[in-house]
Amino acid sequence: EKPLFAKVEQALAGQRELLATDGYTLSLDEDAGTLTATIGAGPDACPDCLVPKSLMRTYFEQALAPVCPEGLSGIRLVYPGE
């Protein structure tokens, strides 16, 4: 387990909880400095509750700023159905 990845998981716990409230899952993977955040839709997911990708990216960047001062080289968001 990579120490930075553990901090990333912790920093995004709030996002994971918010997504879960609307029926979505969040799985994270990191490779060569790029974080891949895959959002999955559960059977009761609220299709109108998922914000546009650009807004979700902003939320992620704000949540990660304190734990990744140098930042990740990128955040790749994968939405349901992609």
Side-chain angles (χ1 to χ4, degrees):
E1 187 73 20
K2 305 166 190 140
L4 177 61
F5 192 71
K7 289 180 183 177
V8 166
E9 284 270 0
Q10 201 170 15
L12 292 175
Q15 285 300 120
R16 180 175 272 128
E17 286 175 28
L18 285 173
L19 286 163
T21 300
D22 294 326
Y24 292 93
T25 59
L26 173 63
S27 59
L28 303 172
D29 190 33
E30 187 266 330
D31 184 41
T34 298
L35 175 70
T36 300
T38 303
I39 296 171
D44 300 321
C46 164
D48 296 331
C49 298
L50 198 56
V51 299
K53 263 191 185 183
S54 57
L55 191 53
M56 186 68 75
R57 180 178 305 283
T58 301
Y59 293 156
F60 274 57
E61 287 170 351
Q62 289 172 344
L64 292 171
V67 296
C68 303
E70 295 84 43
L72 294 155
S73 60
I75 299 173
R76 182 173 165 257
L77 290 174
V78 180
Y79 265 33
E82 290 183 2

